[in-house]
Amino acid sequence: MESLYRQIKRLLLFRRSGVLMAETGTGKTCSLELIAKKLGVEFSGIVVIRFITPNRQCPSIRAFFKTFLWALDHPETSGETPNLRQRVTHKLQDMGLNAAWKLVWFWVDEAQALGLGDYCFLRDIQNDLRKVGVDLVVVFSGEAPDFGTELDQLRGKKGGGAVIDRFAQEMLQLDGYDLKSVEVLMGQMDSAVWPSEIQATWTQFFFPIAWQHGFRMIDEAKPCIDALEAAGLLQKKCVRVRLLRFVLAAFCLDNTARDCFPFRLPANSWPNAVGAGRIRLSEIRVEGS
């Protein structure tokens, strides 16, 4: 994740757009969600927006604009298509002009579902923003190989090559989670409130007594990585996000009943969690085959 974060920071500095393609389960969305939060803190002078591409079973440019307005938290999403388009443009201009960097970072998730008209609209928006001194940097994330196939097909359409190449200026690479990235993720577990109804962090929810006496998941990052390495599940010292998610779920569920003071985890707690995560990953693969 840290490598991807550095790549995205470079895009921001050079005002260039990019594409992230990776297979399902590699952690595209999870990584970009964390990066979006980090960008909002480290680069407080930019606008950070996430757009989830609507289902394209019934393609509609109007649906695209409405979803765009929801992503911008615009209060008015009714009306004809030209009015929706105008609202999107004006809202982005206002947001960008009020940002210190005059920069909008726009993340388009599930981008394999975009049509050529959507890309053309984003190009027009980018041109309109530049007229008022605001840059639009777009990062498209989508599932491989579908996203790559879709981009190739769009390039073959009339006018498609230029507009696609404008946004696919950089091909981003996503590695797995190394120790530092796992520490960041577990730190989020220690600080993110969930469920919101009880105002507890993830760690506090599963280990309330141990939490009161200083237990934090971030301190478990190294034992977690060590157990994954011992099981031969690291690639270039990194773990795939889907596997890590299953391992963390198994660890929390298996050990929540041990919550007490003093809190002592069994020596095999992480190896057991890794084993359970590996089994769950195998089940998912069988279900998807």
Side-chain angles (χ1 to χ4, degrees), residues 47-54 63-77 87-88 91-92 95 104-109 121-122:
V47 178
V48 176
I49 301 169
R50 177 187 180 184
F51 175 88
I52 303 177
T53 309
F64 176 78
F65 290 143
K66 288 173 70 72
T67 307
F68 211 134
L69 287 168
W70 288 328
L72 298 177
D73 198 26
H74 198 287
E76 183 55 62
T77 59
R87 282 183 211 138
V88 170
K91 179 68 173 180
L92 278 174
M95 296 172 75
V104 177
W105 183 74
F106 193 67
W107 165 30
V108 180
D109 198 10
F121 171 66
L122 288 171

Side-chain angles (χ1 to χ4, degrees), residues 5 9 12-13 38-48 101:
Y5 184 58
K9 285 200 297 184
L12 293 173
L13 292 173
K38 194 171 181 179
L39 286 174
V41 174
E42 187 171 343
F43 297 89
S44 57
I46 70 173
V47 178
V48 176
W101 282 37

Side-chain angles (χ1 to χ4, degrees), residues 101-176:
W101 282 37
K102 303 295 186 287
L103 176 63
V104 177
W105 183 74
F106 193 67
W107 165 30
V108 180
D109 198 10
E110 302 296 341
Q112 70 274 2
L114 289 176
L116 182 57
D118 303 331
Y119 285 101
C120 291
F121 171 66
L122 288 171
R123 177 199 58 193
D124 294 343
I125 284 287
Q126 194 176 59
N127 291 340
D128 289 342
L129 290 176
R130 283 175 178 169
K131 292 176 183 177
V132 298
V134 176
D135 286 306
L136 177 68
V137 172
V138 188
V139 169
F140 301 87
S141 63
E143 185 174 332
D146 296 347
F147 190 18
T149 301
E150 184 65 24
L151 288 179
D152 289 339
Q153 291 175 349
L154 292 175
R155 281 192 182 97
K157 294 183 178 181
K158 183 179 180 180
V163 70
I164 297 302
D165 290 340
R166 171 187 284 208
F167 292 114
Q169 295 169 321
E170 301 282 348
M171 300 302 296
L172 304 174
Q173 301 296 321
L174 175 64
D175 299 324

Side-chain angles (χ1 to χ4, degrees), residues 190-191 201 203-204 207-216 259:
D190 292 332
S191 60
T201 68
T203 309
Q204 193 174 4
F207 309 105
I209 299 173
W211 166 271
Q212 289 180 346
H213 293 87
F215 174 75
R216 297 294 183 269
D259 181 42

Side-chain angles (χ1 to χ4, degrees), residues 20-28 141-145 147 172 174 240:
L20 173 63
M21 285 187 281
E23 295 178 355
T24 183
T26 53
K28 299 181 298 298
S141 63
E143 185 174 332
F147 190 18
L172 304 174
L174 175 64
R240 292 187 63 171

